């Protein structure tokens, strides 16, 4: 029988669905309005003055006055904000800085303002409400929910709080969810990831968990520990667990492993949050892709990946994008990021409404031989090879082997199997065939005998966790790159 809370959730879900439809049906007008508001709000900031925002009336003006930047390029402005200077990138001071680990720049500090923060909270909430609206499933709101996240402990400097995004968001859990939310505050504050997961297991093992959320690789560790401790599949331990919410990485490589750990299928909702903004969420269980959030204080631009490194690549707005093209995502936000390259690449799966998938990272690709292989291609190829088999994969990454001891160069796939294939040679061939279908450049290199077919290197159990531990990035929001154009990760395993 539906609880009062579940009935209220269904009514609220209907209201949010109708509100969402309004901007979905006016995508270009919605984005134009966001653009005008951003420029008007920031024209008297230091950045606005430096880039003549008072002269910007159109997207063409914006392109002319403001170059595309990454964090390194914006760092001079960010450092002034970190020191407590107001009105630099956005009026006033930010409420928070989300601290993330950058690859080239050490720690990165991403501002969160009083204008941007509500959209982070609303987007996560609305994803769940649209799921309720579509499926009619709302009973889970009465059970216990968990989000495996970073520590909510914050540090204050110059009147601004610093912390991890997931930890900052923990301070905004609405009152009506506080009683349902797990783990306890004390457990959430544990910094060491393995200690934290063990504590989370102890706190949740006897609870009625209905919603579980987090990055798949770290939820997997939680599920494995639950199964080990209870001797039951997670789905039997938590009989009412029916919704898994995730983001950060593609779920598909983990799906078979998860279904084995759970013992049954559960619904899932994919999110696309980042410190820089909450960009998209899955709004339906029946269509591929996530709804791009066009009314969330973010103005989007898209540059084709294969043109991105050319002299003056064209920047497309929402009304100009095409299906199935790999775009670098460029954002301008009400947290003061301007024409900012977050490093993610996306492809549109639908233009009515605008839905996207994350196809990879502009810096995470293999093009040692001109093949420009992206994350989506390796993930799809592995998924295709696993279909109809009992093979299960814990984690994997791909790197080029340019100078092997003998034979032609190749792509090395480092895979940690939960359940290895009976015939590794056949499985290797299946992945290679799928890769050749996915990427014509790769196929040409195989045909032209520039590359030999890929090679799989098996990684010992817990190998990837040990690697992440060795670089101080075990747990939280950290994740293994699907591929890299160098051999830093591969060499860690090949040294052994």
């Amino acid at each position: 029988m539906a609880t009062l809370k579940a009935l209220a959730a269904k009514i609220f879900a209907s209201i949010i669905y109708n509100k969402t439809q309004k901007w979905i049906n006016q995508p270009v007008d919605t984005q134009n309005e966001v653009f005008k508001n951003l420029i008007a709000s920031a024209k008297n900031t230091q950045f606005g003055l430096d880039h003549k925002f008072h002269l910007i009336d159109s997207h063409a003006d914006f392109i002319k006055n403001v170059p595309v930047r990454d964090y390194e390029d914006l760092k001079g402005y960010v450092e002034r904000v970190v020191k407590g200077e107001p009105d630099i990138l956005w009026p006033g001071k930010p409420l928070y800085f989300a601290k993330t680990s950058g690859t080239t720049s050490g720690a990165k500090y991403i501002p969160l303002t009083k204008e941007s923060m509500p959209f982070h909270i609303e987007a996560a909430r609305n994803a769940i409400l649209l799921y309720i609206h579509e499926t009619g499933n709302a009973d889970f709101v009465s059970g216990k929910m968990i989000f495996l996240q970073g520590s909510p402990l914050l540090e204050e400097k110059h009147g601004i709080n610093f912390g991890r995004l997931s930890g900052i968001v923990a301070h905004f859990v609405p009152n009506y969810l506080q009683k349902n939310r797990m783990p306890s505050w004390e457990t959430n504050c544990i910094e060491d990831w393995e200690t934290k997961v063990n504590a989370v297991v102890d706190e949740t093992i006897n609870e009625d968990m209905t919603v579980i959320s987090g990055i798949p690789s770290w939820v997997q560790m939680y599920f494995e520990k639950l199964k080990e401790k209870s001797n039951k599949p997670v789905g039997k331990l938590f009989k009412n667990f029916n919704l898994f919410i995730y983001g950060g990485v593609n779920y598909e490589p983990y799906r078979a492993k998860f279904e084995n750990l759970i013992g049954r299928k559960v619904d899932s909702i994919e999110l696309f949050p980042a410190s820089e903004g909450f960009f998209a969420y899955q709004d339906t269980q029946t269509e591929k892709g996530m709804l791009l959030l066009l009314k969330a204080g973010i103005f989007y631009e898209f540059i084709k990946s294969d043109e991105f490194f050319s002299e003056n690549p064209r920047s497309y707005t929402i009304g100009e994008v095409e299906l199935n093209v790999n775009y670098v995502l460029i954002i301008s936000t009400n947290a003061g990021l301007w024409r900012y390259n977050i490093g993610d690449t996306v492809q549109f799966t639908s233009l009515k409404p605008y839905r996207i998938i994350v196809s990879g990272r502009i810096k995470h690709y293999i093009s040692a031989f001109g093949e420009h292989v992206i994350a989506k291609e390796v993930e799809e190829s592995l998924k295709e090879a696993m279909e109809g088999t009992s093979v299960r994969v814990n984690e994997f990454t791909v790197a080029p082997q340019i100078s092997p001891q003998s034979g032609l160069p190749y792509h090395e796939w480092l895979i940690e199997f939960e359940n290895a294939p009976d015939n590794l040679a056949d499985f290797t061939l299946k992945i290679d065939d799928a890769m050749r279908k996915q990427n014509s450049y790769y196929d040409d290199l195989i045909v032209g005998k520039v590359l030999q077919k890929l090679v799989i290197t098996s990684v010992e159990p817990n190998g990837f966790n040990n690697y992440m531990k060795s670089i101080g990035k075990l747990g939280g929001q950290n994740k293994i790159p699907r591929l890299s154009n160098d051999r830093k990760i591969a060499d860690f395993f090949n040294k052994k």
Side-chain angles (χ1 to χ4, degrees), residues 11 40 71 225 259 446 495:
I11 294 165
Y71 186 80
K225 287 179 182 286
E259 285 174 3
I446 299 282
K495 265 187 232 157

Side-chain angles (χ1 to χ4, degrees), residues 344-490:
D344 286 312
T345 58
V346 300
Q347 290 179 10
F348 284 87
T349 57
S350 160
L351 301 181
K352 201 171 178 183
Y354 287 96
R355 291 198 186 99
I356 57 169
I357 57 166
V358 180
S359 51
R361 301 274 297 162
I362 192 65
K363 288 181 180 173
H364 291 175
Y365 60 87
I366 298 177
S367 203
F369 309 93
E371 63 274 44
H372 210 92
V373 169
I374 60 172
K376 175 181 173 278
E377 292 164 350
V378 297
E379 288 172 342
E380 288 283 338
S381 299
L382 181 62
K383 180 189 167 193
E384 198 174 307
M386 287 167 66
E387 268 165 17
T389 74
S390 60
V391 175
R392 289 193 296 275
V393 167
N394 283 341
E395 194 56 273
F396 78 100
T397 191
V398 187
Q401 176 50 275
I402 296 167
S403 46
Q405 289 183 340
S406 63
L408 294 170
Y410 55 84
H411 285 184
E412 183 179 13
W413 287 56
L414 297 108
I415 303 180
E416 185 183 319
F417 289 105
E418 158 77 8
N419 201 11
D422 295 329
N423 188 319
L424 191 62
D426 282 356
F427 188 70
T428 302
L429 199 56
K430 274 189 191 173
I431 299 179
D432 205 68
D433 287 345
M435 274 300 305
R436 290 173 70 173
K437 279 187 279 178
Q438 292 267 342
N439 187 307
S440 59
Y441 300 113
Y442 180 74
D443 183 53
D444 289 343
L445 291 165
I446 299 282
V447 171
K449 299 208 172 348
V450 176
L451 292 180
Q452 61 171 302
K453 72 172 193 262
L454 65 89
V455 171
I456 292 177
T457 299
S458 291
V459 171
E460 80 259 359
N462 277 319
F464 282 101
N465 282 347
N466 292 337
Y467 167 73
M468 293 299 271
K469 206 180 205 174
S470 78
I471 60 168
K473 290 191 176 182
L474 182 67
Q477 307 306 105
N478 300 308
K479 44 202 180 269
I480 288 275
R482 279 287 164 254
L483 29 67
S484 35
N485 209 32
D486 58 45
R487 291 190 55 78
K488 279 182 196 158
I489 300 173

